[in-house]
Amino acid sequence: NQFWAKRNGKYSYVTTGGNEVTYASENVTAKQSAPSTVVQSNPTESEVNTQLPTSVEEGEEDYLKGVTAYKQEKYADAFQYWSKAAEFEHSDAMYGLAVLYDRGYHIQRNEGKALEWLKKAAAKNSVNAMFQLGDFYYKGIGGVQKNLNEAIVWYKKAAENGDVESMSILAYFYEAGEGIAKNPNQAIAWYKKAAEKNSTISMYRLAFMYGTGAGVPQNYKEAFHWLKKAAENGDVTSMGMLSQY
């Protein structure tokens, strides 16, 4: 299963509550994975459906019914409810359909369809979809060729829409100069945004950059501050390094 879900105890593909969560990486980095909302959601382009409010409410109702069905492994029902909600341009329902196609639940696995629904969801500001697209292009999975430039576009969109993991990933690209011009100041800025949202890895990277003076003025006070926070979050490496201060 290459589809990454993601964070905050939510479904590995949707933004409203769920159980499956795999911490970021190769399984639906599972944001890492039900979306953080998949993965939490926050759309991007496309206009919002101009139907009456009752139509929007109907889309939400069907979406939630789909979430319940998915949890009960009634994938045929989830597909039906999310397809209905998607007609009202419900971004999380679109994301859910992408998950079903990617995993082949109830329907034949179809990476092309999964990608199509991911893009539709991202166009409606689904942060989970943005992150997933970034992940697909970065790793060359999900039926697409590896494309670092395209991956950065989607990670950046997700980061700008509040996705913590994407903030950390974008910061790393700026720190390492991977696929983008090396920019320590931007790396620090994005790591701080992620750290403020409790990203332990970002806290550690901030401690490293300040402690070693990697592209920024060396600052042991700042290094200690972030190392301590990372250690308090349970990072074993930070705990060990903290003893050296």
Side-chain angles (χ1 to χ4, degrees):
N1 178 359
Q2 301 173 317
F3 209 93
W4 288 33
K6 162 170 137 155
R7 75 207 98 269
N8 299 344
K10 303 213 165 199
Y11 245 144
S12 46
Y13 62 96
V14 281
T15 71
T16 308
N19 306 316
E20 253 181 21
V21 171
T22 309
Y23 198 68
S25 252
E26 342 165 313
N27 231 0
V28 195
T29 247
K31 354 247 117 210
Q32 177 302 167
S33 289
S36 161
T37 357
V38 181
V39 110
Q40 264 173 332
S41 270
N42 296 330
T44 45
E45 312 170 5
S46 277
E47 306 157 8
V48 193
N49 193 309
T50 55
Q51 298 287 336
L52 295 174
T54 50
S55 296
V56 176
E57 291 169 9
E58 185 176 342
E60 178 68 7
E61 182 180 351
D62 285 325
Y63 165 71
L64 293 176
K65 286 180 179 178
V67 171
T68 298
Y70 187 93
K71 290 179 181 180
Q72 298 173 345
E73 298 187 4
K74 296 179 179 178
Y75 303 124
D77 290 343
F79 181 81
Q80 179 183 351
Y81 286 125
W82 285 340
S83 293
K84 215 171 150 186
E87 291 176 8
F88 296 101
E89 300 188 323
H90 193 294
S91 63
D92 289 340
M94 293 175 179
Y95 185 80
L97 289 173
V99 172
L100 292 177
Y101 274 113
D102 181 80
R103 298 180 177 179
Y105 289 169
H106 165 62
I107 45 184
Q108 183 173 356
R109 189 165 188 268
N110 187 319
E111 291 182 330
K113 279 286 188 182
L115 185 64
E116 179 184 331
W117 280 111
L118 271 183
K119 288 184 175 180
K120 286 181 179 180
K124 287 298 176 183
N125 294 337
S126 165
V127 174
N128 290 329
M130 294 173 192
F131 169 83
Q132 196 62 60
L133 284 168
D135 211 51
F136 277 9
Y137 282 109
Y138 182 67
K139 297 180 175 178
I141 61 178
V144 301
Q145 294 294 313
K146 189 169 183 176
N147 186 324
L148 187 52
N149 290 332
E150 191 70 10
I152 291 173
V153 166
W154 288 110
Y155 281 137
K156 191 164 190 285
K157 281 178 180 286
E160 291 172 342
N161 276 277
D163 184 70
V164 180
E165 189 178 355
S166 295
M167 291 176 187
S168 183
I169 291 172
L170 187 60
Y172 171 75
F173 288 151
Y174 277 119
E175 180 189 356
E178 183 175 352
I180 198 169
K182 198 168 185 176
N183 189 325
N185 291 327
Q186 279 294 309
I188 289 287
W190 281 109
Y191 276 140
K192 281 187 175 179
K193 287 183 180 181
E196 286 165 2
K197 290 180 177 290
N198 211 37
S199 166
T200 302
I201 183 63
S202 295
M203 293 172 188
Y204 174 79
R205 294 310 304 168
L206 282 168
F208 173 82
M209 290 185 74
Y210 280 120
T212 62
V216 295
Q218 198 167 44
N219 187 325
Y220 290 123
K221 183 177 179 181
E222 276 293 298
F224 179 82
H225 169 75
W226 290 111
L227 199 60
K228 186 170 183 288
K229 280 188 169 291
E232 289 171 347
N233 265 17
D235 185 66
V236 178
T237 301
S238 297
M239 291 178 191
M241 293 179 68
L242 202 56
S243 64
Q244 300 174 26
Y245 278 82

